Amino acid sequence: EDIQVFPNPYFGTNEAERDFFAQFVTFSNLPEKCTIRVFTVSGMLVRELHAPEDALTSASGFGQTNTGAMHWDMLTSEGLEVAAGMYFYHVKDDMTGEEIVGKFAVIK
């Protein structure tokens, strides 16, 4: 229930980003093993991530252990940059089956 995405809204840059090409949002308070799906408002799947396997070790240093947070590089499954707009996320705890849905905005 405490899962959050920040910054929300994302304004084209994030204070934690090291350079313009390393854009990301962070999902926090994640279950130990979970699947994160990001969708457009129209319901199109943008990206599917698996924690801790897909953690961006170069940006976060999380490695293969889930610390409860994970960066998303704001790229689609095809490797394209996401457009400005509203997005929904669906997080499913792979161990308990519990699910939560939330939303965030990208402003560019």
Side-chain angles (χ1 to χ4, degrees), residues 26-32 62 65-70:
T26 303
F27 292 90
S28 66
N29 300 319
L30 293 171
E32 184 178 343
F62 295 154
T65 304
N66 189 347
T67 61
M70 186 170 153

Side-chain angles (χ1 to χ4, degrees), residues 12-84:
T13 60
N14 172 352
E15 290 181 15
E17 294 170 346
R18 297 180 184 156
D19 62 54
F20 179 76
F21 300 104
Q23 298 178 342
F24 62 87
V25 294
T26 303
F27 292 90
S28 66
N29 300 319
L30 293 171
E32 184 178 343
K33 287 186 164 273
C34 63
T35 301
I36 304 167
R37 292 181 181 92
V38 179
F39 296 91
T40 63
V41 175
S42 64
M44 185 174 162
L45 179 64
V46 174
R47 182 85 179 263
E48 181 173 296
L49 302 164
H50 301 275
E53 297 85 5
D54 291 333
L56 301 175
T57 55
S58 61
S60 64
F62 295 154
Q64 293 299 310
T65 304
N66 189 347
T67 61
M70 186 170 153
H71 294 319
W72 171 45
D73 59 10
M74 299 183 62
L75 297 176
T76 68
S77 55
E78 291 84 20
L80 303 172
E81 190 176 316
V82 296

